[in-house]
């Protein structure tokens, strides 16, 4: 099978490349210590000191952790504490993992959006309905480089390496996820379920 942006192995290749790029870029930050607000929101915040992995501890971290309006980040810090106490390596690894997942979602969002647009454009000249799976090679290639540039861009350095800025990374993750789910849902609704995105983000 010829390897190209149109081949079935391109999406797995793109995902593996994004993961490798993130590891190469941020591996050196794993052992960086807690700095600045990390101390106040993690090291000195006893609310996230989860010793027992149970609902009560998770609830305490979510509602009493600092700041009190950031439930998911506080829970994630508590889970980090449960597995590694105050060793910064685990916190950095989770931050890098969130960044990787967001880049992967961005790849699929860009690919599906561009390919869907191409399908609808072609349908204007070939009758009703959108053919999502035609001419997606350029969409996949553009999406890959867009995700790679975003992943490696220095503007994300603070959000990834500054542990407490996991809040920013999580916001980006859920924002891109919501856009991808909208594109896939809209695609199926628009063409009565006949339009199937090119495997979405769960299947390549």
């Amino acid at each position: 099978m010829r390897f190209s942006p149109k081949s079935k192995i391109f999406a797995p290749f793109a995902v593996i490349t994004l993961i490798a790029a993130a590891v190469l870029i941020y591996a050196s930050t794993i052992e960086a210590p807690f700095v600045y607000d990390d101390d106040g929101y993690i090291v000195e915040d006893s609310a996230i000191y989860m010793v027992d992995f149970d609902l009560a501890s998770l609830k305490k971290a979510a509602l009493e952790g600092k700041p009190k309006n950031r439930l998911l980040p506080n829970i994630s810090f508590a889970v980090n504490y449960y597995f590694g106490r105050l060793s910064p390596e685990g916190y950095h690894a989770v931050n890098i993992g969130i960044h990787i997942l967001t880049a992967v979602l961005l790849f699929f969002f860009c690919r599906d959006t561009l390919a869907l647009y191409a399908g609808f454009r072609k349908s204007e000249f070939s009758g009703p309905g959108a053919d999502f799976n035609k001419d997606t090679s350029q969409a996949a290639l553009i999406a890959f480089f867009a995700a790679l540039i975003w992943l490696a861009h220095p503007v994300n350095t603070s959000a990834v390496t500054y542990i407490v800025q996991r809040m920013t990374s999580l916001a980006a993750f859920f924002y891109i996820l919501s856009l991808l789910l909208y594109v896939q849902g809209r695609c199926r609704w628009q063409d009565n379920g006949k339009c199937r995105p090119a495997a979405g983000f769960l299947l390549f």
Side-chain angles (χ1 to χ4, degrees), residues 38-49 61 64-67 74:
D38 291 342
D39 290 328
Y41 290 143
I42 300 175
V43 178
E44 300 172 2
D45 186 7
S46 60
I48 68 162
Y49 288 6
E64 298 180 21
K66 300 176 184 177
N74 290 339

Side-chain angles (χ1 to χ4, degrees), residues 33-50 65-67 73-74 76-78 80-81 85-88 91-92 95 162-167:
F34 296 104
V35 295
Y36 304 123
D37 288 343
D38 291 342
D39 290 328
Y41 290 143
I42 300 175
V43 178
E44 300 172 2
D45 186 7
S46 60
I48 68 162
Y49 288 6
M50 186 169 68
K66 300 176 184 177
N74 290 339
S76 72
F77 292 143
N80 264 136
Y81 182 86
R85 296 302 187 263
L86 292 176
S87 177
Y91 296 84
H92 284 295
N95 278 24
Y162 187 10
I163 295 174
V164 79
Q165 285 303 313
R166 180 180 301 176
M167 303 171 188

Side-chain angles (χ1 to χ4, degrees), residues 5-6 10-11 13-15 17-18 100-116 132 135-152 176 180 183 198 200:
K6 200 172 184 177
F10 183 78
F13 164 79
V15 171
T17 303
L18 291 173
I100 290 172
L101 288 175
T102 306
V104 171
L105 291 180
L106 182 62
F107 164 70
F108 286 117
F109 166 67
C110 292
R111 184 200 63 177
D112 287 2
T113 302
L114 293 171
L116 181 61
F132 186 90
D135 298 332
T136 60
S137 59
Q138 288 186 343
L141 192 61
I142 293 171
F144 168 68
F145 282 108
L148 183 62
I149 291 171
W150 180 86
L151 179 142
I176 299 300
L180 176 57
V183 169

Side-chain angles (χ1 to χ4, degrees), residues 18-204:
L18 291 173
I19 294 172
V23 171
L24 287 173
I25 293 169
Y26 291 107
S28 61
T29 69
I30 287 290
E31 296 182 356
F34 296 104
V35 295
Y36 304 123
D37 288 343
D38 291 342
D39 290 328
Y41 290 143
I42 300 175
V43 178
E44 300 172 2
D45 186 7
S46 60
I48 68 162
Y49 288 6
M50 186 169 68
V51 178
D52 298 316
F53 199 105
D54 53 28
L55 184 60
S57 299
L58 292 173
K59 182 178 179 181
K60 179 180 179 181
L63 300 179
E64 298 180 21
K66 300 176 184 177
K68 293 187 177 181
N69 61 338
R70 306 292 174 90
L71 306 185
L72 286 179
N74 290 339
I75 290 175
S76 72
F77 292 143
V79 173
N80 264 136
Y81 182 86
Y82 176 79
F83 286 104
R85 296 302 187 263
L86 292 176
S87 177
E89 289 85 355
Y91 296 84
H92 284 295
V94 171
N95 278 24
I96 295 171
I98 293 171
H99 190 57
I100 290 172
L101 288 175
T102 306
V104 171
L105 291 180
L106 182 62
F107 164 70
F108 286 117
F109 166 67
C110 292
R111 184 200 63 177
D112 287 2
T113 302
L114 293 171
L116 181 61
Y117 175 75
F120 276 111
R121 288 290 296 173
K122 287 183 72 65
S123 71
E124 294 178 6
F125 304 98
S126 59
D131 187 351
F132 186 90
N133 295 310
K134 286 185 178 180
D135 298 332
T136 60
S137 59
Q138 288 186 343
L141 192 61
I142 293 171
F144 168 68
F145 282 108
L148 183 62
I149 291 171
W150 180 86
L151 179 142
H153 200 286
V155 74
N156 292 309
T157 301
S158 176
V160 180
T161 61
Y162 187 10
I163 295 174
V164 79
Q165 285 303 313
R166 180 180 301 176
M167 303 171 188
T168 301
S169 294
L170 284 173
F173 170 82
F174 285 109
Y175 187 82
I176 299 300
L177 175 61
S178 67
L179 291 174
L180 176 57
L181 292 176
Y182 172 79
V183 169
Q184 295 195 350
R186 182 75 178 182
C187 175
R188 288 176 170 84
W189 173 82
Q190 187 76 22
D191 205 32
N192 296 321
K194 297 179 182 179
C195 171
R196 299 192 60 80
F201 65 96
L202 295 178
L203 300 174
F204 297 128

